[in-house]
Amino acid sequence: METNGHRRGRRHNNAGQHNGEVSTLTTVDEFDPWTAWAYKPRTITLLFIGACFLIWASGALDPEGSSSADIVTSVKRGIWAMIAVFLTYCLLQAPSTLLIRPHPAIWRLVHGMAVIYLVALTFLLFQTRDNARQFMKYLHPDLGVELPERSYGVDCRLYVPENPTSRFINVYETLFDEFVPAHIFGWWGKAIMIRNQPLLWVLSIGFELMELTFRHMLPNFNECWWDSIVLDILICNWFGIWAGMHTVRYFDGKTYEWVGISRQPNILGKVKRTLSQFTPAHWDKDEWNPLLGPWRFIQVFSLCVVFLTVELNTFFLKFCLWVPPRNPIIVYRLVLWWLIAIPTIREYNSYLQDRKPVKKVGAFCWLSLAICIIELLICIKFGHGLFPTPMPRWLVIMWTSAGVIFSMFLMLWTWQSHRTRRRKRE
């Protein structure tokens, strides 16, 4: 099986992970002649091309003719140039990940984008709430204006006879809300990444519990019972998980014997082979095994906590920074998180399956956790004073009781596991 899909002949692929870094030992006959150019390093050539572009864009040879009197424009151009230089460096020199499709350089570029996002969040964290809101105008001109939040639980009637437009207006407006396709495509993507149906349902029900917990803080979470249980869990989430798991089973059942583009017999075969470069080179079966032991349970549970925190951050960030749901900034962040999560899940699952006594998580795992923490800190800092309504007493009692039961369960399980291991040694 050819993991990059661009080599001719057969090879044996031996991939191991050492302290979170991947080492791949391969023996190949030769590169496919049609795509060999894409895997040859040309870092010096691209460095000179980039330098020429900077000379032209910055006006280094004609400072008076290219200077701008507007300092805001100059600063914007300088920041974009900094980002471009850093992403170019990551594209060429950043460490590769476990993923090699469609090209390792793509995931090095995603690594650079994640670092830039982390640095930008850190900058935002050190601003005041009002300054941060006004700063968002530089990212999109429609931002920086307070927006009313929509509440979905004002009228929970399925049938509204007095409405002149439609007697099922509540159902109609909920079905055609932008969050419906977001739910479906979101859970389809999560199913492809996690590849474990019970774990996906834990996340699905867990997020509905988070909405119930924070509905006194965010109007978006104030939903009707039929919206939360029927539409979200039983229809949108179920359909997304169902479609995602069917996609997983499709790739899991494929035979991965890659042949180079030049060896395809006709034009149609070459087109199919080119498009298949955007599919996995091979399919890994993730083994989460949360019931393997107390420590593995905590590790998988931590993954669920991070997932739910990232999703909650989306709603709290847009509320604190006055970002409307249909603004492209929301879409850009979700796409970036999706690109980051793909290698993160692979790295974390490899970390869990690694039996070495000394190991560390991969770069994407570290970046994902760091970004999640900074986003959470921004929500806490900017949300100070925005949520005067206290959490209902019954919720406090419910989560306190759940925490106590969960802790007692883990302690009992740990004690039982320790006693079992001691008996085996004896």
Side-chain angles (χ1 to χ4, degrees), residues 37-332:
W37 60 271
Y39 291 86
K40 293 181 179 179
R42 293 184 175 85
T43 55
I44 301 299
T45 302
L46 293 175
L47 174 62
F48 281 107
I49 293 175
C52 293
F53 178 78
L54 284 178
I55 292 173
W56 169 77
S58 64
L61 301 181
D62 185 19
E64 295 183 358
S66 61
S67 61
S68 175
D70 186 6
I71 187 173
V72 175
T73 303
S74 298
V75 171
K76 283 184 178 180
R77 294 181 64 205
I79 292 176
W80 282 115
M82 290 168 53
I83 294 174
V85 169
F86 180 75
L87 290 180
T88 302
Y89 166 78
C90 292
L91 183 72
L92 301 175
Q93 301 290 356
S96 297
T97 69
L98 291 170
L99 302 181
I100 56 177
R101 287 291 187 93
H103 192 282
I106 300 297
W107 299 107
R108 293 197 293 266
L109 181 65
V110 173
H111 180 273
M113 295 166 62
V115 174
I116 290 175
Y117 183 53
L118 175 63
V119 174
L121 288 174
T122 306
F123 168 81
L124 202 64
L125 179 63
F126 280 81
Q127 312 306 310
T128 64
R129 182 171 60 206
D130 293 336
N131 289 343
R133 288 169 173 172
Q134 297 307 313
F135 172 79
M136 298 297 290
K137 288 183 177 180
Y138 294 102
L139 302 180
H140 196 277
D142 295 339
L143 300 180
V145 179
E146 185 176 5
L147 300 172
E149 286 283 329
R150 178 182 175 183
S151 177
Y152 296 86
V154 176
D155 187 1
C156 292
R157 292 178 298 170
L158 295 174
Y159 184 74
V160 186
E162 68 272 13
N163 189 281
T165 306
S166 173
R167 295 180 179 179
F168 297 93
I169 186 64
N170 292 335
V171 178
Y172 179 85
E173 289 182 350
T174 304
L175 284 175
F176 289 92
D177 187 77
E178 61 268 9
F179 288 109
V180 171
H183 270 278
I184 296 174
F185 286 108
W187 284 104
W188 174 77
K190 292 171 191 171
I192 294 176
M193 290 187 294
I194 296 178
R195 307 172 188 175
N196 185 285
Q197 193 160 350
L199 194 58
L200 289 167
W201 280 110
V202 168
L203 290 172
S204 175
I205 298 174
F207 184 73
E208 297 304 321
L209 289 176
M210 292 300 101
E211 287 187 336
L212 178 65
T213 302
F214 296 104
R215 65 191 305 176
H216 66 284
M217 302 174 70
L218 294 179
N220 270 151
F221 288 167
N222 188 18
E223 298 179 342
C224 299
W225 65 269
W226 51 267
D227 186 2
S228 179
I229 298 177
V230 179
L231 183 61
D232 286 353
I233 298 179
L234 299 181
I235 296 181
C236 295
N237 296 2
W238 172 83
F239 183 75
I241 293 173
W242 175 84
M245 293 307 297
H246 270 68
T247 307
V248 168
R249 283 190 282 270
Y250 167 77
F251 284 110
D252 191 27
K254 286 184 63 176
T255 301
Y256 293 91
E257 292 289 341
W258 297 104
V259 179
I261 297 177
S262 63
R263 299 177 62 188
Q264 300 297 329
N266 49 47
I267 297 297
L268 182 61
K270 296 182 188 300
V271 172
K272 288 183 177 180
R273 177 60 188 83
T274 302
L275 294 177
S276 67
Q277 186 63 21
F278 295 90
T279 63
H282 57 86
W283 195 257
D284 298 325
K285 292 185 177 181
D286 292 347
E287 301 292 339
W288 295 105
N289 297 323
L291 302 180
L292 188 63
W295 181 239
R296 174 58 67 87
F297 183 84
I298 293 175
Q299 290 174 321
V300 178
F301 179 76
S302 301
L303 174 67
C304 297
V305 171
V306 173
F307 250 98
L308 295 176
T309 304
V310 170
E311 294 193 5
L312 286 174
N313 287 343
T314 303
F315 294 90
F316 279 97
L317 284 173
K318 75 182 188 66
F319 180 83
C320 295
L321 297 175
W322 293 346
V323 182
R326 297 186 181 182
N327 191 277
I329 297 294
I330 298 290
V331 179
Y332 298 155

Side-chain angles (χ1 to χ4, degrees), residues 350-364:
S350 298
Y351 172 82
L352 294 184
Q353 297 186 37
D354 191 356
R355 300 301 181 184
K356 295 182 178 64
V358 179
K359 56 185 178 179
K360 69 175 184 179
V361 296
F364 273 98

